[in-house]
Amino acid sequence: MTKQTKEGKIKSLFNWFKKLSLLKKSLILLPLIIVIIFLITRGGDKIFYETEPVRIGSIREVVEASGTINPVSQTEVGTQVSGTIYKLYVDFNSPVKRGQLLAEIDPATLRQQVLQQEASLMKAQSELTNSQRTYERYQQLYAQNFVSKSELDQAETTYLTNQANTIQAKASLAKAKTDLDYTRITSPVDGIVISRAVDLGQTVAASFNTPTLFLVAQDLTKMQIEVPVSEADIIKVQEGQNVTFTIDGYPSVTFKGVVNQVRLSPETVQGMVAYTVIIMVDNPELKLKPGMTANVTIITQEKDDAKLVPNAALRFTPKSSTEKYRSQGIWVLTKQGPERIDIKTGIMDDKNTEIISDQINVGDEVIIAETTNAKQKKSLFAGPQRQRRR
């Protein structure tokens, strides 16, 4: 195609455009103008950063869990004999003293057994007395050669057998009397009845597992919370750590306690391995009731003058960065641009992390996000990233 031909076509196209109406000219030029503006404004590759200053503040690391409130010391009161509940002397919440009668089992059958054992003992004693006389007489007769040695031995055997039967009868009588005493169920400690598992006329059966009839709490002003803590958190929990907790009955009240024991025996709770932590709690106003659920916060670490940065700063990495870092670090926005600094961390909560490295100073602007929208961000920078500071 010759140069004249190209110029002719351009001139023809220009004449055609001049003949168009103003509306058609606008429809053709507007997209071109938009493309030109876009190409002009997209240059520069500016990146805008959202930052937060490093500050001094308070921070605490906690372990949260739920547990059950129980008395520190509670005693199960059962029965060692079977029978029918004959009398009840206490009910729920009844204060009791040590040795106080709580209930009685019908003693009629056991009284009869005592009488039978007394009669057996009397019979055994009578036979023993008779066999003793016979043995002593045979000893005299044997000395005069009126009876044989075998007859003397037989008399001795009878005497010794009756002696053993008497001892056995005495033991049986003592057991029958003891069983009769067991029909009187008494409290082994001072306290308050928090549970009653029997009613008047109910039959109880004593077996290898003694049935629990009453549960007596010794002191409700001293309570404990049994809290299952997961295996991931238990390494943070130690005896003596402070605890705060709430209960549904008093949602606006925060109670306090202390970790008293971390039990080493593991338990599986809903497929998760957990360890029981015992928390001691004072209960002077008796607001806490046995069996209540406590929402527990164990304070494992806390500091009032920690150097803090948002947790988002530890997660941030510039999109343009492709290097994989072996050490933990955060990005600080300086006048020269973003700079990565290696750090060591301390206490962490759900919002902030303590920085214990000297390379980070209070007031440094740490980067927590980046964007291309400057209106939503606090700081901006356009330029290369700096090498990290160690």
Side-chain angles (χ1 to χ4, degrees):
M1 183 179 293
T2 63
K3 183 177 180 181
Q4 290 80 5
T5 304
K6 291 182 179 178
E7 291 177 353
K9 287 188 175 182
I10 293 172
K11 186 176 181 180
S12 174
L13 183 61
F14 180 75
N15 291 333
W16 170 81
F17 182 77
K18 286 178 61 177
K19 294 178 181 180
L20 294 176
S21 64
L22 181 61
L23 178 59
K24 290 182 178 181
K25 289 178 181 180
S26 301
L27 293 176
I28 293 173
L29 293 176
L30 184 60
L32 295 175
I33 294 172
I34 293 174
V35 171
I36 293 172
I37 293 175
F38 173 75
L39 293 176
I40 293 174
T41 58
R42 72 185 290 246
D45 291 331
K46 288 188 177 181
I47 302 174
F48 302 92
Y49 297 100
E50 181 178 0
T51 64
E52 290 287 344
V54 179
R55 62 182 181 86
I56 297 294
S58 299
I59 189 171
R60 61 171 52 177
E61 182 183 68
V62 300
V63 172
E64 296 181 337
S66 296
T68 304
I69 300 174
N70 287 308
V72 173
S73 180
Q74 52 187 5
T75 304
E76 295 180 349
V77 182
T79 176
Q80 298 190 49
V81 295
S82 302
T84 303
I85 297 298
Y86 179 62
K87 292 181 181 180
L88 275 176
Y89 298 101
V90 296
D91 201 352
F92 292 92
N93 303 336
S94 296
V96 294
K97 296 292 184 180
R98 181 176 181 178
Q100 179 178 334
L101 192 60
L102 305 180
E104 284 188 76
I105 294 176
D106 189 356
T109 302
L110 293 176
R111 281 177 182 170
Q112 293 175 1
Q113 291 181 6
V114 171
L115 293 175
Q116 290 176 357
Q117 295 303 326
E118 287 177 345
S120 297
L121 176 59
M122 292 176 63
K123 180 180 178 181
Q125 289 174 335
S126 176
E127 292 176 349
L128 175 62
T129 301
N130 184 52
S131 62
Q132 183 179 4
R133 292 172 183 171
T134 301
Y135 176 56
E136 291 174 352
R137 186 168 60 252
Y138 270 53
Q139 283 179 320
Q140 295 174 359
L141 294 175
Y142 178 74
Q144 300 175 9
N145 294 324
F146 288 121
V147 295
S148 64
K149 183 66 168 65
S150 61
E151 290 176 319
L152 177 62
D153 292 343
Q154 180 63 40
E156 183 183 12
T157 301
T158 302
Y159 168 65
L160 294 176
T161 300
N162 289 333
Q163 194 175 37
N165 290 339
T166 301
I167 296 174
Q168 184 177 10
K170 288 181 179 179
S172 298
L173 177 59
K175 181 180 183 304
K177 289 182 177 180
T178 301
D179 288 343
L180 181 61
D181 290 339
Y182 283 152
T183 61
R184 295 171 56 85
I185 302 170
T186 58
S187 175
V189 294
D190 296 342
I192 185 170
V193 178
I194 61 175
S195 176
R196 175 175 62 82
V198 291
D199 294 310
L200 193 64
Q202 182 176 339
T203 299
V204 293
S207 58
F208 293 105
N209 295 323
T210 302
T212 299
L213 308 183
F214 302 93
L215 190 60
V216 180
Q218 294 189 35
D219 186 5
L220 292 181
T221 63
K222 300 290 184 181
M223 306 291 278
Q224 68 180 23
I225 309 174
E226 299 179 9
V227 183
V229 177
S230 69
E231 58 182 326
D233 292 328
I234 195 63
I235 58 175
K236 305 175 186 177
V237 181
Q238 298 178 2
E239 295 179 5
Q241 291 174 339
N242 293 324
V243 176
T244 61
F245 66 95
T246 60
I247 57 176
D248 293 340
Y250 298 95
S252 60
V253 179
T254 299
F255 299 90
K256 296 182 179 180
V258 178
V259 175
N260 181 64
Q261 185 182 60
V262 180
R263 293 180 178 172
L264 301 179
S265 176
E267 296 181 356
T268 302
V269 180
Q270 296 179 349
M272 177 189 70
V273 177
Y275 296 83
T276 300
V277 175
I278 304 299
I279 299 168
M280 302 301 294
V281 180
D282 290 330
N283 187 32
E285 300 178 6
L286 302 181
K287 290 182 177 180
L288 305 176
K289 310 297 183 185
M292 282 184 168
T293 298
N295 303 310
V296 175
T297 300
I298 302 173
I299 303 171
T300 56
Q301 296 185 76
E302 61 180 337
K303 196 172 183 180
D304 293 330
D305 56 350
K307 191 162 43 178
L308 304 179
V309 298
N311 291 339
L314 277 71
R315 298 189 296 266
F316 172 79
T317 300
K319 296 178 180 178
S320 59
S321 176
T322 58
E323 182 178 352
K324 294 189 179 297
Y325 303 98
R326 295 183 178 180
S327 59
Q328 192 174 29
I330 57 176
W331 291 83
V332 177
L333 187 61
T334 65
K335 293 180 180 180
Q336 291 75 27
E339 178 182 0
R340 190 181 190 277
I341 303 175
D342 292 340
I343 60 169
K344 293 182 179 180
T345 60
I347 303 173
M348 176 183 292
D349 63 15
D350 57 346
K351 294 182 179 180
N352 300 303
T353 298
E354 177 192 13
I355 302 298
I356 57 178
S357 302
D358 295 333
Q359 290 86 350
I360 299 294
N361 301 313
V362 176
D364 287 350
E365 295 287 338
V366 295
I367 304 174
I368 61 175
E370 71 178 20
T371 184
T372 56
N373 186 355
K375 294 181 180 180
Q376 299 177 0
K377 305 302 172 184
K378 297 180 181 179
S379 305
L380 61 89
F381 172 78
Q385 298 170 5
R386 296 184 63 194
Q387 298 295 324
R388 62 181 178 180
R389 189 192 335 156
R390 298 181 182 274

